[in-house]
Amino acid sequence: MSEELPPYLGVLVVDAERYGSNTDPGQQKLAEAIPEVLEGAFNGSGLAHVWEGRLFPQDTGDGMGLAFDTRYLPAVLEGFFGALQEVLVARDAYMRRFNRALRLRLRAAVHVGPIRPTGGGQALVTAHRLLDAAPLRDALTRSDPERTYLAALISDRLHDDVVVTAYASLPTSPVEVRIKEYRATAHLHVPTPSGDLLTTGLVPTPAPTTPDDEDPTPQPPATTGPVHNTMSGIHTGTAIQVGHLHGGLHNR
């Protein structure tokens, strides 16, 4: 029996890098800051109405998720991430006046798909898979923590619908995402690259393989059956072990 398809919505999810490594008071400050920096970024990019009209907001403690009308997706992709980076820079300067070790750096993922009336559905699952993807985590790890405060993954579907069709401009690099049962291509965006991201790119080129990279397990020598010499004709001098020889063999 068929069901009505829920409305297609944009989905944004974020979480804080190394949230669990902070003290309990530090975690509380980060959790309180996340909705504040998101609101500041929506306001700063001219998208206050998207924040005010957000659907199915989810507070995950170390992050947040929300849905919004798909017509705003181009503006979100083109303007929101740069604004969020700027807000995070300002928030970092404020937070570290009180605790030098406390830093808020965010991973973000954006997807589009049908969202059930209860706020569930595969589109939300996919967004969270993207959020946990290794290439997204690596982008923050390989960047300067005092310059890069945000890295984002855009789903392939959303990239095709909005960026490839030129509804919005956003510099990205394709990456392969493999997490749990999810396998897909996504598109990595870092508003302010730094550190290794500047020297080796958002997605480093795999190093060429060398003999040292090959399987080090020693292989047994090739074995052959017993060798029997069959020699015909004239032969003198040293005997040489060969398979079959016909003709003269002379040692000079």
Side-chain angles (χ1 to χ4, degrees):
M1 181 177 179
S2 65
E3 293 185 36
E4 288 187 357
L5 187 67
Y8 272 63
L9 296 172
V11 179
L12 168 70
V13 290
V14 304
D15 69 0
E17 181 195 45
R18 299 178 58 83
Y19 177 85
S21 65
N22 293 281
T23 63
D24 286 0
Q27 291 179 12
Q28 181 177 351
K29 285 190 176 297
L30 293 177
E32 292 171 351
I34 290 172
E36 293 176 1
V37 297
L38 292 181
E39 181 179 9
F42 276 110
N43 291 342
S45 56
L47 295 168
H49 55 287
V50 177
W51 175 258
E52 292 166 0
R54 62 193 181 278
L55 304 170
F56 312 118
Q58 296 178 326
D59 182 352
T60 61
D62 64 344
M64 188 173 182
L66 57 92
F68 53 91
D69 195 299
T70 55
R71 59 183 162 164
Y72 302 128
L73 279 167
V76 169
L77 291 190
E78 191 161 298
F80 173 75
F81 295 122
L84 182 55
Q85 164 73 18
E86 293 178 1
V87 171
L88 288 168
V89 170
R91 177 54 65 103
D92 183 73
Y94 169 78
M95 294 176 69
R96 294 180 71 192
R97 287 205 303 262
F98 301 97
N99 184 343
R100 186 68 178 170
L102 197 60
R103 175 176 283 126
L104 179 60
R105 304 175 80 207
L106 294 180
R107 295 188 303 271
V110 191
H111 184 44
V112 62
I115 305 296
R116 299 184 66 82
T118 55
Q122 191 61 39
L124 284 176
V125 174
T126 296
H128 283 280
R129 292 288 183 265
L130 295 174
L131 195 61
D132 289 335
L136 185 58
R137 292 178 178 273
D138 290 344
L140 287 184
T141 301
R142 296 172 50 238
S143 61
D144 183 344
E146 296 190 2
R147 293 189 59 196
T148 299
Y149 291 88
L150 173 69
L153 267 186
I154 315 303
S155 74
D156 200 40
R157 179 194 300 177
L158 180 54
H159 186 267
D160 282 350
D161 288 349
V162 177
V163 179
V164 173
T165 54
Y167 284 100
S169 176
L170 187 74
T172 61
S173 293
V175 296
E176 293 302 314
V177 175
R178 296 175 175 271
I179 179 168
K180 296 185 178 180
E181 77 289 348
Y182 186 72
R183 302 287 186 274
T185 298
H187 302 267
L188 179 63
H189 171 67
V190 180
T192 306
S194 64
D196 288 347
L197 303 183
L198 294 177
T199 56
T200 59
L202 297 188
V203 184
T205 303
T209 59
T210 65
D212 291 339
D213 297 326
E214 296 176 356
D215 186 359
T217 306
Q219 301 297 319
T223 57
T224 60
V227 176
H228 301 281
N229 288 339
T230 302
M231 304 175 70
S232 60
I234 302 171
H235 59 88
T236 62
T238 305
I240 301 175
Q241 190 81 350
V242 296
H244 297 273
L245 176 65
H246 298 273
L249 177 64
H250 302 275
N251 182 28
R252 297 181 179 178

